Amino acid sequence: MFAELNSILNVSPEHFTTGEFVLLSDRQSDASFLMHHFLGFYLRAGCQVCFIGLAQSLSHYSAVSQRLGVSLSQAKERGQLVFLEGLNECSAILNPDGVRTGSEAMAFLRNPGAGLRALFQFAHSSVNHSWGAEERAGDAGGGPPVVLVDDVSVLLSLGVSADAVLDFSHYCRATVCSQLKGNVVILLRCDREEDDYDDVGSDEGLERLLRGLTHQCSLALHVQGLPTGYCRDIHGQVEVCDRRRRADGQQKKTTFQYKVHDRGASFFAPGTSSAVL
């Protein structure tokens, strides 16, 4: 968890806004450090977390979280964290021996055209069941439910349409954010490898997905490389855009440069601008 980023966003594990849809994106850089930040932040806040990990293994997230002072294994043991390990689920479902294994949450792998209803139902039941149990038990320390997805561009590479991903994010926002008063954090990586997609039409799908998620979100953090190119002491810049309409009809947009360390990240040299929606 990065204290400087918390200061920029004016939040802490003890005080943060609920009902938020947060979009993390990147281009010519890597925004995954922000996903690790939010995972640790919400676990420290006592939230019930459902993490849909499509990009890396559980051991990867655990190793990084450990360096940030958060134990995912302990969070899982106490029932605070539900982790869907997408890489293992893909291997199980696509197993060539014909044995039907793997979570139904990833059933879209058998038929990408069927949409992401099962994945949404998994996320909803993971946080809704535990949230209700905490409320009934009167646990004052229990925070709101949170769904994190890393990263949805993987779904496009698996044959899911951009429209299906936008439907998934819409339903997550409507249930987790609006009904359960929780938060949703989604990472979208906008740089693709040449072999990740079948045709150039997928480029259009990626851009359409970015536009759609940006329209849905209340807070957007976009990571990109420096305009001046590589620098040893600065890894890139983060544009923070608060999309909630203010009284003057504007949205606040601030840019910070950053450097990632083994146990955190530094943010500095801000530049500020505002734009009318």
Side-chain angles (χ1 to χ4, degrees):
M1 188 177 69
F2 309 144
E4 291 180 358
L5 181 56
N6 287 341
S7 179
I8 290 171
L9 299 179
N10 194 27
V11 298
S12 69
E14 296 77 30
H15 178 74
F16 58 92
T17 304
T18 58
E20 292 271 47
F21 186 119
V22 181
L23 172 63
L24 313 176
S25 61
D26 62 33
R27 197 180 298 274
Q28 296 181 338
S29 193
D30 185 357
S32 59
F33 71 97
L34 293 177
M35 182 58 76
H36 292 296
H37 163 79
F38 280 102
L39 174 59
F41 177 90
Y42 287 120
L43 289 176
R44 287 180 183 271
C47 299
Q48 173 65 33
V49 176
C50 171
F51 193 101
I52 300 175
L54 302 173
Q56 299 287 349
S57 65
L58 174 59
S59 60
H60 167 81
Y61 296 105
S62 295
V64 176
S65 295
Q66 196 71 41
R67 291 201 297 270
L68 298 178
V70 177
S71 172
L72 298 192
S73 59
Q74 291 180 6
K76 288 188 66 178
E77 289 173 1
R78 61 177 176 262
Q80 184 187 5
L81 172 65
V82 176
F83 192 100
L84 179 66
E85 194 161 2
L87 296 179
N88 284 354
E89 296 294 339
C90 288
S91 299
I93 290 177
L94 301 177
N95 192 336
D97 64 11
V99 178
R100 194 178 181 85
T101 59
S103 169
E104 285 303 311
M106 304 288 286
F108 66 87
L109 290 171
R110 303 187 184 96
N111 180 16
L116 300 173
R117 179 185 296 272
L119 187 61
F120 164 72
Q121 290 175 339
F122 170 85
H124 180 251
S125 62
S126 295
V127 294
N128 190 40
H129 174 74
S130 298
W131 172 247
E134 287 182 357
E135 287 292 280
R136 289 190 297 271
D139 183 4
V146 176
V147 173
L148 302 100
V149 187
D150 179 13
D151 83 79
V152 290
S153 70
V154 174
L155 297 172
L156 297 185
S157 69
L158 293 173
V160 179
S161 69
D163 289 338
V165 178
L166 289 172
D167 286 342
F168 168 79
S169 61
H170 169 76
Y171 285 116
C172 284
R173 185 180 65 162
T175 55
V176 178
C177 299
S178 298
Q179 295 180 11
L180 300 178
K181 306 303 180 185
N183 290 351
V184 173
V185 181
I186 286 181
L187 171 63
L188 172 64
R189 305 211 61 189
C190 300
D191 287 325
R192 73 180 185 91
E193 299 295 334
E194 292 298 325
D195 297 333
D196 280 351
Y197 306 99
D198 293 334
D199 53 54
V200 293
S202 295
D203 278 332
E204 298 177 0
L206 188 61
E207 293 303 320
R208 184 166 71 252
L209 181 57
L210 176 60
R211 290 193 300 269
L213 291 174
T214 300
H215 177 74
Q216 291 181 7
C217 76
S218 55
L219 178 67
L221 285 78
H222 181 69
V223 179
Q224 56 190 353
L226 294 171
T228 55
Y230 172 79
C231 176
R232 184 180 63 181
D233 296 324
I234 302 175
H235 291 160
Q237 60 186 30
V238 181
E239 181 183 85
V240 181
C241 182
D242 186 346
R243 293 182 52 79
R244 292 165 295 189
R245 186 178 294 276
R246 301 189 300 177
D248 58 5
Q250 294 185 330
Q251 60 183 9
K252 186 177 181 181
K253 186 181 295 184
T254 310
T255 300
F256 294 85
Q257 295 177 340
Y258 74 91
K259 180 177 182 180
V260 178
H261 310 287
D262 286 342
R263 297 182 180 274
S266 297
F267 296 82
F268 40 83
T272 306
S273 63
S274 295
V276 179
L277 285 174

